[in-house]
Amino acid sequence: MTDIISSPAVSTVIDHGPDGTDESLEDNNRQPIRANVIQAAKLARDAETKARDKQHVKGKLTARERLDLLLDTGSFEEIGRFSGGNINGNVAGAAVITGFGEVYGRKVAVYAQDFSVKGGTLGVAEGKKICRLMDAAIELKIPVVALIDSGGARIQEGVAALTQYGHLFRKTCDASGFIPQISLILGPCAGGAVYCPALTDLIIMTRENSNMFVTGPDVIKSTTGESISMEDLGGGTVHNTTSGVAHYLGEDEADAIDYARTVLSYLPSNAGEQPPTYSYMATRADREVAARLATIVPDNDRQPYDMTDVIRCVVDYGEFVQVHELFAGSVVVGFACIDGHPVGVVGNQPLVNAGSLDVDASEKLARFVRLCDCFNLPVVTLVDTPGYKPGAEQEHAGIIRRGAKVIYAYANAQVPLVTVIVRKAFGGAYIVMGSKAIGADLNYAWPSSQIAVLGATGAVNIIHRRDIQKAKDAGKDVDAVRAEYAAEYERTTVNANLSMETGEIDAMIDPEQTREVLEQALRLLASKRRVKRTGKHHGNQPL
């Protein structure tokens, strides 16, 4: 780490003697150090001591300690350390630290707000430092990681501070989809400041000390009379489980930062590059794991199972990094590797609402597919869904508008798309979950899969409504008649044969073949590249 404090020459000069005065250890063979350099080094060291005193009592790390956890050892190169400060006036610098470092040997741009300096608030100096960093990140085509711990806009600087947020919003939008952007909320983030992380690709929060809200508890109390704590209003748990604003809930700062490092290991540095690859050697254990797939999914199509068990059987080392794990549980999304190549994995979760799509699950799924498409990660979709979640609540919450986001995400994606129907794929949910019709490249189905407009029971109740009524009027066993019709419907319509005959399914595969087939499919599609289909500026995605 390049740091004025760590300079051997400076550190000897600012060592304190026994009487508390500065003790110079210079000799005639050493070049004299200018007094202002010594003063700057003392300011820097004192500022970090002050930061530790303030942060540690709250159970929080300092901005520099956080950077040490995030970046590879010794890789941080700070820019503008004393920018916004006054060395002669004993002001060490602005309330944000900016610079570059490495994560697993790959360059990233970072900024960390320092709550020990003016509450980490953003003023003109801080805004200019961050904008300068983001300009450099876009030019260098490297990811940006933000460590946020701030009281918001600096009130004393008025509209000038707010203007800086406008500049930051614009820069974040310029970088969106071009370089990965990750925000770690490690303290307060309030007011207009919340929209900086909201515009980034991933938001990571901690279980304690982490808060995000547009209007705080005091404002809410004075305007609506509602009393609510900061934690219940915008804590890490709320935004991970209820609002869906955050994508990961860290147990502590170290856990949150480790998750950010992990996610970066799956993403390329920019949209013009392919994701990094890793060596992988198949072993006998792979065959044993693959064999498990034959027993994970129950024969009873109404019995739930954990889709993450299926995912871990088809990805390298069983490693699956979930995104939005605590939100909209009827779908699971996350990063994994197959044969050493990073992929995005999407799957319905039968453990929650039978894997049906609701408003939250639709947005979660669509957002993740778009993220993968931005950064060249193939999308593997594992389907087991009875359809959209029914009910007036869902209709009034906008399932039409929000469900359309899934269609938009898949239909516009130009990365390799491979889909496997594991069990059920009914109605509109079959179409939107990476079907061939919507743009998937290769589609497969397990032998027990069911593909239809409706499940057998629902379809029979509509198709044979009059026949069932006649049977009832004749005194016959209605349940037996309905079961007979349902069995015939399943034999002729619900299975995957029709989809194979029409070319919507490329092949029927045994569960144990799934990983092998995915490897072959991804190798086949590795050379797929983007094409400009029309001359439009951009589409009008449902929002």
Side-chain angles (χ1 to χ4, degrees):
M1 180 182 291
T2 302
D3 193 332
I4 194 170
I5 296 178
S6 62
S7 169
V10 171
S11 62
T12 57
V13 172
I14 63 173
D15 276 342
H16 292 297
D19 58 355
T21 59
D22 293 334
E23 184 180 75
S24 175
L25 302 181
E26 289 184 53
D27 55 38
N28 294 331
N29 296 323
R30 178 173 292 156
Q31 182 177 353
I33 301 173
R34 290 182 296 175
N36 59 346
V37 175
I38 299 173
Q39 171 68 3
K42 289 177 63 178
L43 275 178
R45 188 172 69 174
D46 292 345
E48 183 61 13
T49 300
K50 173 188 172 185
R52 283 195 295 267
D53 292 342
K54 285 190 172 184
Q55 293 288 87
H56 289 183
V57 296
K58 302 174 186 175
K60 297 163 65 176
L61 299 176
T62 71
R64 294 184 185 280
E65 288 171 337
R66 291 164 176 166
L67 290 172
D68 285 342
L69 285 176
L70 174 67
L71 303 172
D72 297 347
T73 302
S75 68
F76 183 52
E77 296 289 340
E78 187 170 358
I79 59 173
R81 170 144 198 177
F82 297 98
S83 176
N86 182 345
I87 295 174
N88 292 330
N90 292 324
V91 179
V96 66
I97 300 166
T98 57
F100 303 93
E102 293 181 355
V103 174
Y104 295 119
R106 296 164 60 217
K107 188 70 71 177
V108 298
V110 293
Y111 70 87
Q113 292 176 316
D114 188 347
F115 197 82
S116 70
V117 178
K118 300 179 180 178
T121 54
L122 185 131
V124 173
E126 288 77 12
K128 287 182 176 179
K129 284 185 71 173
I130 298 173
C131 285
R132 178 189 173 196
L133 178 83
M134 294 193 68
D135 283 336
I138 293 172
E139 184 176 354
L140 296 172
K141 302 179 182 179
I142 58 176
V144 174
V145 181
L147 305 172
I148 296 173
D149 187 2
S150 170
R154 189 166 299 150
I155 297 173
Q156 295 89 330
E157 297 188 26
V159 72
L162 294 177
T163 298
Q164 294 304 316
Y165 275 119
H167 294 320
L168 290 178
F169 297 160
R170 182 71 177 269
K171 299 289 184 187
T172 306
C173 291
D174 287 345
S176 181
F178 180 62
I179 54 176
Q181 299 180 87
I182 298 178
S183 299
L184 291 105
I185 314 299
L186 304 175
C189 181
V194 299
Y195 292 110
C196 280
L199 292 166
T200 61
D201 299 304
L202 293 170
I203 295 176
I204 302 168
M205 299 182 73
T206 56
R207 195 172 293 277
E208 297 181 358
N209 298 322
S210 180
N211 293 281
M212 294 180 73
F213 41 74
V214 176
T215 55
D218 292 341
V219 175
I220 292 174
K221 176 71 172 176
S222 64
T223 55
T224 70
E226 178 185 2
S227 295
I228 189 169
S229 67
M230 289 180 62
E231 185 64 29
D232 291 338
L233 177 63
T237 300
V238 167
H239 284 312
N240 273 272
T241 61
T242 304
S243 72
V245 167
H247 301 82
Y248 182 75
L249 181 65
E251 289 299 321
D252 53 26
E253 293 188 18
D255 182 34
I257 291 171
D258 182 66
Y259 183 81
R261 285 176 58 88
T262 300
V263 167
L264 286 170
S265 71
Y266 289 93
L267 298 174
S269 293
N270 59 73
E273 296 181 3
Q274 293 298 309
T277 58
Y278 303 95
S279 60
Y280 182 79
M281 181 68 69
T283 65
R284 181 189 301 175
D286 289 344
R287 291 191 294 272
E288 296 172 353
V289 170
R292 286 191 56 226
L293 288 170
T295 60
I296 289 176
V297 179
D299 293 332
N300 183 349
D301 63 6
R302 292 179 176 273
Q303 185 175 341
Y305 63 93
D306 191 345
M307 181 59 82
T308 61
D309 289 341
V310 175
I311 294 170
R312 291 191 172 95
C313 286
V314 300
V315 300
D316 295 356
Y317 308 113
E319 295 178 357
F320 178 48
V321 180
Q322 286 202 56
V323 175
H324 259 153
E325 181 177 0
L326 303 178
F327 178 69
S330 61
V331 296
V332 292
V333 302
F335 303 105
C337 285
I338 295 179
D339 196 27
H341 295 268
V343 297
V345 182
V346 174
N348 303 105
Q349 177 56 284
L351 286 178
V352 180
N353 295 329
S356 59
L357 294 179
D358 60 16
V359 291
D360 289 336
S362 296
E363 291 192 335
K364 169 180 173 177
L365 193 162
R367 173 76 170 170
F368 183 74
V369 171
R370 294 285 281 175
L371 172 64
C372 293
D373 188 47
C374 284
F375 297 113
N376 306 316
L377 267 71
V379 177
V380 174
T381 306
L382 303 175
V383 183
D384 186 353
T385 178
Y388 285 95
K389 184 179 179 181
E393 178 189 6
Q394 287 294 304
E395 297 294 344
H396 297 168
I399 188 63
I400 297 173
R401 169 177 55 83
R402 295 160 79 175
K405 298 179 184 183
V406 182
I407 300 173
Y408 197 95
Y410 273 109
N412 283 276
Q414 295 199 33
V415 293
L417 301 175
V418 183
T419 300
V420 179
I421 298 175
V422 174
R423 191 164 64 173
K424 289 196 283 286
F426 293 158
Y430 155 67
I431 293 296
V432 306
M433 289 291 297
S435 68
K436 182 69 70 74
I438 208 171
D441 299 293
L442 294 168
N443 292 59
Y444 305 96
W446 285 7
S448 59
S449 60
Q450 302 175 1
I451 306 172
V453 176
L454 278 177
T457 302
V460 164
N461 286 337
I462 296 173
I463 297 171
H464 296 285
R465 182 178 66 254
R466 293 180 179 177
D467 296 326
I468 292 172
Q469 185 61 45
K470 287 179 182 179
K472 182 178 181 181
D473 295 341
K476 295 182 180 180
D477 185 344
V478 174
D479 290 338
V481 172
R482 184 182 286 111
E484 183 179 339
Y485 284 133
E488 176 65 14
Y489 184 81
E490 286 188 359
R491 186 183 68 80
T492 60
T493 307
V494 173
N495 58 58
N497 290 346
L498 179 60
S499 297
M500 292 180 65
E501 292 165 2
T502 58
E504 294 303 305
I505 296 296
D506 294 300
M508 189 86 75
I509 62 173
D510 288 328
E512 298 96 319
Q513 293 179 285
T514 305
R515 177 183 166 86
E516 178 185 354
V517 167
L518 289 175
E519 288 180 3
Q520 293 171 349
L522 293 172
R523 279 198 293 270
L524 174 65
L525 298 170
S527 61
K528 182 180 179 182
R529 292 296 179 264
R530 300 179 185 278
V531 294
K532 194 170 182 65
R533 295 168 180 158
T534 68
K536 65 185 178 183
H537 178 50
H538 61 70
N540 187 18
Q541 178 181 358
L543 296 172

